[in-house]
Amino acid sequence: MTTLLPPARFGGAFRTDVRARAAYAEGAGIYRILPDAVSLPETVADLERLVCWAAELGVPLVTRGAGSAVSGSSVGAGVIVDLTRMQPVALEVDPGRRRAVTGASVTYQTLADAARAYGLRLPPDPSSGAFATLGGMVATNAAGARSVKYGPVRPWVHAVELVTADGESCTLERGASAGAADALALARFADQAAPAIARSHELIEERFPRTRKNTSGFALDAYSASGDLVDLVIGSEGTLGIITEIEWDLVAVPRHIGGMLIQLRDLDALADVVTALGRLEPSAVEFLDRSFLEVLPPAERPAGAAVLLVEFEAEGARQMRGRVGDAVRAVDAWADDVQTALSEAEFADLWRLRHAASPILAGLPDSRRSLQVIEDGCVPLDRLTAYLRFVRARASDLGLPVVIFGHAGDGHLHVNVLPDVDRPGWEEAVGALMTAVTDEVLRLGGTPAGEHGDGRLRAGLVERLYGSDIMALFALVKAAFDPRGILNPGVILTEEWAPLDQLKTGPHAVRLPPDIAEALRTLERSAGYGQSRIALADRN
Ligand SMILES: Cc1cc2nc3c(=O)[nH]c(=O)nc-3n(C[C@H](O)[C@H](O)[C@H](O)COP(=O)(O)OP(=O)(O)OC[C@H]3O[C@@H](n4cnc5c(N)ncnc54)[C@H](O)[C@@H]3O)c2cc1C
């Protein structure tokens, strides 16, 4: 490989040394891929120059926020584009219009803190909010526990500023027409992709899964419904452009938060309980499977086949009592025990259980790695129990321990697979589980990617989910926005797919300088994704 030289007049850092490349070889998720170089643009002009340079040389660009994506979309060969040094960093809340404008590198938590000062919030609340950047959240259409009421980030994005694959900046705003005059990419889209998408309205309606969440492919369904190009960029995982700024819609913080912890007697009624609760408009319905509860210390472990944590919002204490009371009655026939919480403080105490397992899983010995390969399946609500039972049974047949939890109100389960990586044949077993569970998700009418996107992990499954006609439309979208294929190639659309190659664990893992490998492992164990990776490369 010839060493890459930085673009002319590039103002930020551009590094090709092995320590810098190693520091960006991993994100969350299963992969370790050494990039060719790392760039840290400092201005939009730097970013435009970088993109023009990459287009001319045909060099792939992998945009990166905190690197917490679990589907392998923020790692790759080519040049990493770390946006965390971009200036100026916008963070303005307009309480009168209930809007905020933020730079792409601002974290969810920073926006949440700024908005809260005005009694406002961005409702979708990923559990990675302390470190996930807002650019990364838009690019993955991130969601959270409250998405059962408020959806993923999509409806809350009013506009984005984008650097296109031609190195041009443009704005995509809801309700405002953006077209040929604004950027070459938009002209190509209007000419080559928009007419075909318009003719395919019924096909799109028929082929997109009928799940409450879906982050697979490009969101042709949302774009068809709204006509807003911003809907295609949301969830495009850095493959259609690089977001530099976002305008958000916000809502008022609710006056009262409360809820309940339900110990379920058995799993057969799971879908019925969740449907009954859904009628009462909860703001979260989270599921903790027995496999999750078993990881907890015995003293903190609730009984029952599984636990549901249900959150309600209300304008007054009386309304909250009414909501929680209705919910207790609705689930009575299926519950072994119900604990209620009528204030935010009491509810926070119940919610602690939701976060208790992560540090325990992260602390497992190196031989027992927690791998995310079937972590994001989402199925229609009435098939949730069937899906859960299938995952449990197939994992058990293959001798693979799993820990299952998730957003039951959306029919969405996170499954962490915990293979013994010292056991010969573990990779084949994990591959067999991935194949079987994917087949089942598709058979049940679900999507393998509820909120984490396709990334590299699931890119080869997109055609199975949608079929070749929709793939042809996806290809038109990609060709219009990124004709030279420089933006995150191999993510969402791929020609060569080997999802369990280039793992960060096992004998074939690429070797990194030992101190950096160790630091990345520590970062993973402590969920320290907010840490600067370039600082990590430079710390010795
Ligand atoms: C412990 C943990 C908990 C998590 N919980 C949740 C959860 O509750 N809900 C959820 O949805 N996800 C969750 N995730 C996944 C992850 O945090 C989200 O996908 C998050 O949105 C990624 O943000 P990031 O800044 O880390 O993006 P990165 O990982 O850096 O990038 C993610 C993708 O976005 C692209 N990208 C990043 N910035 C830009 C930009 N400015 N312009 C264009 N493309 C860009 C990248 O190329 C990549 O494809 C969790 C992850 C971890 C490790």
Side-chain angles (χ1 to χ4, degrees), residues 63 65-69 73-74 83 127-128 133 137 139-140 143 237 243 451:
T63 305
S68 71
S73 56
S74 48
L83 295 177
S127 42
S128 51
T133 66
M137 282 175 57
T140 53
E237 300 187 67
I243 300 157
E451 68 182 15

Side-chain angles (χ1 to χ4, degrees), residues 116-458:
R116 199 166 178 104
Y118 298 99
L120 297 172
R121 65 175 174 160
L122 175 64
D125 57 335
S127 42
S128 51
F131 44 82
T133 66
L134 294 164
M137 282 175 57
V138 174
T140 53
N141 191 22
R146 296 211 178 94
S147 293
V148 71
K149 178 167 181 182
Y150 294 101
V153 300
R154 178 181 305 287
W156 306 98
V157 177
H158 179 70
V160 297
E161 300 270 346
L162 193 72
V163 173
T164 70
D166 306 294
E168 295 181 304
S169 289
C170 64
T171 304
L172 300 177
E173 183 179 359
R174 288 199 184 281
S177 58
D182 297 299
L184 285 170
L186 308 189
R188 283 191 301 266
F189 181 83
D191 191 38
Q192 298 158 19
I197 297 172
R199 283 194 302 274
S200 308
H201 189 76
E202 283 172 17
L203 181 78
I204 291 166
E205 209 161 88
E206 183 195 314
R207 296 285 167 80
F208 271 66
R210 286 173 178 39
T211 46
R212 290 174 57 94
K213 281 164 141 181
N214 175 33
T215 53
S216 181
F218 299 124
L220 290 177
D221 53 345
Y223 167 71
S224 267
S226 69
D228 291 326
L229 268 179
V230 68
D231 273 324
L232 284 177
V233 170
I234 297 169
S236 64
E237 300 187 67
T239 64
L240 299 184
I242 302 179
I243 300 157
T244 52
E245 204 166 275
I246 307 136
E247 185 169 358
W248 299 94
D249 283 313
L250 306 174
V251 290
V253 174
R255 292 231 173 94
H256 286 260
I257 287 184
M260 58 213 276
L261 185 155
I262 305 164
Q263 292 178 19
L264 288 178
R265 192 164 304 136
D266 63 55
L267 288 178
D268 285 332
L270 180 61
D272 293 335
V273 182
V274 170
T275 307
L277 287 166
R279 289 190 203 106
L280 303 172
E281 292 185 30
S283 44
V285 183
E286 296 289 283
F287 172 76
L288 308 179
D289 184 52
R290 192 74 235 154
S291 57
F292 180 104
L293 302 176
E294 286 301 327
V295 178
L296 304 177
E300 295 173 31
R301 198 182 291 162
V307 156
L308 286 175
L309 277 168
V310 187
E311 184 192 80
F312 289 103
E313 297 169 347
E315 282 309 301
R318 198 160 151 216
Q319 190 182 32
M320 177 59 74
R321 276 197 301 279
R323 293 217 155 131
V324 171
D326 287 348
V328 171
R329 282 186 287 283
V331 302
D332 185 49
W334 300 299
D336 267 344
D337 186 51
V338 178
Q339 283 168 264
T340 59
L342 294 174
S343 71
E344 191 162 357
E346 283 171 359
F347 186 65
D349 207 36
L350 295 184
W351 196 260
R352 261 188 325 113
L353 205 58
R354 170 77 168 75
H355 299 297
S358 295
I360 298 170
L361 292 176
L364 289 172
D366 264 354
S367 60
R368 185 66 79 184
R369 291 295 285 260
S370 174
L371 299 184
Q372 294 81 28
V373 289
I374 49 165
E375 87 297 351
D376 206 26
C378 182
V379 296
L381 271 190
D382 58 349
R383 299 173 191 174
L384 186 58
T385 313
Y387 176 53
L388 175 64
R389 287 202 187 284
F390 182 90
V391 174
R392 280 176 159 196
R394 199 71 192 99
S396 162
D397 293 347
L398 289 161
L400 291 169
V402 287
V403 168
I404 307 174
F405 60 102
H407 314 294
D410 283 322
H412 183 203
L413 294 182
H414 293 313
V415 182
N416 282 4
V417 186
L418 303 170
D420 176 351
V421 297
D422 289 338
R423 194 188 88 180
W426 69 268
E427 283 127 316
E428 288 75 15
V430 170
L433 183 65
M434 185 176 178
T435 305
V437 170
T438 303
D439 290 349
E440 183 67 0
V441 167
L442 298 179
R443 195 184 70 75
L444 293 170
T447 170
E451 68 182 15
H452 292 161
D454 298 308
R456 295 176 195 288
L457 178 63
R458 286 179 277 268

Side-chain angles (χ1 to χ4, degrees), residues 88-94 100-103 106-115 118 134 245-246 248:
V89 183
L91 177 58
E92 286 162 33
V93 179
D94 178 345
V101 173
T102 67
V106 172
T107 64
Y108 170 86
Q109 193 57 53
T110 307
L111 171 59
D113 293 345
Y118 298 99
L134 294 164
E245 204 166 275
I246 307 136
W248 299 94

